[in-house]
């Protein structure tokens, strides 16, 4: 089961404009967790044994998600991270949607600055924009603040402050399966090499060690790095439409 374009969603792996996000967090366990708790916990034992650096903290997973009149509307529940790791292994991901935000960092010389995930994470070696799942820190009066999540995750992983950048006003999104990414562009008055140097300096003191390095992306070549597939629509948009 996937999000259907006939239900108001554009086709998968295409970019569309988003005017707003209306994301609520409901009380109680996520129905997926309630129905599969024992399987989730058994899978976590395997995941933690294979990678003891993983942390089973609390995050937010959407239960319902729709797109209408330019607004992405969702209802979510707080879950243990182990639920996401189990869910993403399922052939049929029905029952949940993983929505998150990408702050697309753009250097003054026209490169996208992304990160390569470390072996300590659940996505080792993958290259994508600095980001993290929505969690308890992003809940304000029962609503999720996607922009605050993006700002915090970029700062934690790269040491770069989005307040230093000029933000493009338009939000975009794309989706694949039951994964949805909302993104916007942040333009820094720093060349790519300067941004990479700042990230490298931050990594020295970063105790979490979530990233193994940063890269400057200068084309939409899908073979240039081991990308998360959710990066492809972003690269096509940026490099294919002269947004540099």
């Amino acid at each position: 089961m996937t999000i259907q374009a006939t239900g108001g969603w554009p086709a998968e792996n295409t970019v569309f404009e988003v005017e707003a996000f209306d994301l609520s967090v409901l009380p109680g366990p996520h129905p997926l967790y309630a129905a599969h708790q024992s399987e989730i916990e058994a899978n976590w034992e395997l995941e933690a044994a294979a990678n003891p650096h993983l942390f089973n903290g609390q995050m937010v997973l959407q239960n319902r998600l729709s797109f209408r009149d330019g607004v992405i509307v969702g209802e979510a529940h707080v879950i243990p991270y182990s639920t996401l790791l189990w869910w993403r292994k399922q052939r049929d991901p029905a029952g949940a949607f993983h929505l998150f935000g990408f702050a697309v960092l753009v250097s003054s010389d026209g490169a996208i600055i992304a990160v390569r995930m470390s072996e300590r994470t659940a996505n080792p070696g993958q290259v994508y924009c600095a980001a993290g799942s929505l969690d308890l820190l992003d809940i304000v009066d029962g609503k999720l603040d996607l922009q605050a999540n993006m700002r915090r995750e970029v700062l934690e992983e790269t040491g770069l402050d989005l307040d230093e950048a000029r933000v493009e006003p338009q939000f975009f999104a794309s989706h694949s399966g039951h994964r949805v990414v909302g993104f916007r562009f942040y333009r820094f008055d720093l060349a790519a090499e300067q941004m990479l140097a700042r990230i490298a300096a931050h990594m020295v003191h970063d105790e979490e060690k979530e990233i193994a390095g940063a890269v400057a992306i200068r084309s939409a070549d899908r073979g240039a790095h081991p990308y998360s597939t959710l990066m492809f629509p972003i690269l096509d948009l940026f490099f294919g439409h002269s947004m540099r």
Side-chain angles (χ1 to χ4, degrees):
M1 176 179 173
T2 59
I3 298 173
Q4 298 296 316
T6 55
W9 290 91
E12 288 194 353
N13 299 309
T14 61
V15 173
F16 53 96
E17 295 184 355
V18 177
E19 300 307 317
F21 295 85
D22 183 4
L23 306 171
S24 301
V25 180
L26 304 182
H30 195 292
L32 194 76
Y33 179 76
H36 300 281
Q37 183 176 354
S38 61
E39 299 162 68
I40 290 167
E41 292 175 352
N43 181 69
W44 172 251
E45 291 185 9
L46 299 175
E47 298 274 6
N51 186 351
H53 296 292
L54 295 177
F55 174 63
N56 195 21
Q58 291 185 307
M59 57 166 284
V60 174
L61 187 66
Q62 304 293 319
N63 181 37
R64 303 179 188 276
L65 205 61
S66 62
F67 179 64
R68 58 178 181 268
D69 299 325
V71 181
I72 291 180
V73 180
E75 294 180 351
H77 296 265
V78 175
I79 60 163
Y81 180 61
S82 54
T83 308
L84 178 68
L85 295 185
W86 174 86
W87 170 76
R88 71 181 195 172
K89 288 182 174 180
Q90 307 310 303
R91 288 187 177 183
D92 181 359
F97 304 90
H98 188 203
L99 180 145
F100 50 94
F102 276 175
V104 186
L105 312 183
V106 180
S107 68
S108 61
D109 52 344
I112 288 177
I113 306 301
V115 298
R116 185 174 67 257
M117 303 309 294
S118 77
E119 297 296 321
R120 299 169 65 98
T121 70
N123 301 308
Q126 282 194 17
V127 170
Y128 49 88
C129 296
S133 295
L134 292 154
D135 64 28
L136 299 182
L137 295 175
D138 305 312
I139 304 173
V140 180
D141 296 330
K143 296 286 187 177
L144 288 166
D145 188 337
L146 188 63
Q147 295 183 74
N149 167 269
M150 292 159 61
R151 179 176 291 104
R152 187 185 74 254
E153 293 292 342
V154 168
L155 186 63
E156 289 179 356
E157 293 186 6
T158 71
L160 296 172
D161 191 336
L162 293 184
D163 288 340
E164 297 178 30
R166 176 171 57 86
V167 58
E168 296 289 337
Q170 184 62 59
F171 249 109
F172 300 94
S174 65
H175 69 96
S176 178
H178 276 218
R179 298 183 301 166
V180 180
V181 56
F183 65 93
R184 70 197 309 190
F185 295 93
Y186 291 81
R187 298 182 180 272
F188 284 78
D189 291 327
L190 297 170
E193 291 305 316
Q194 292 175 294
M195 294 179 70
L196 294 178
R198 283 185 54 174
I199 294 171
H202 171 75
M203 290 174 62
V204 174
H205 305 287
D206 178 20
E207 296 181 358
E208 297 297 326
K209 306 296 182 186
E210 288 187 292
I211 70 171
V215 300
I217 304 170
R218 298 189 181 276
S219 78
D221 177 7
R222 298 188 176 193
H225 301 283
Y227 291 118
S228 161
T229 57
L230 291 173
M231 287 293 292
F232 295 154
I234 297 171
L235 300 182
D236 290 343
L237 173 68
F238 185 76
F239 294 106
H241 291 79
S242 300
M243 292 186 68
R244 288 175 289 175

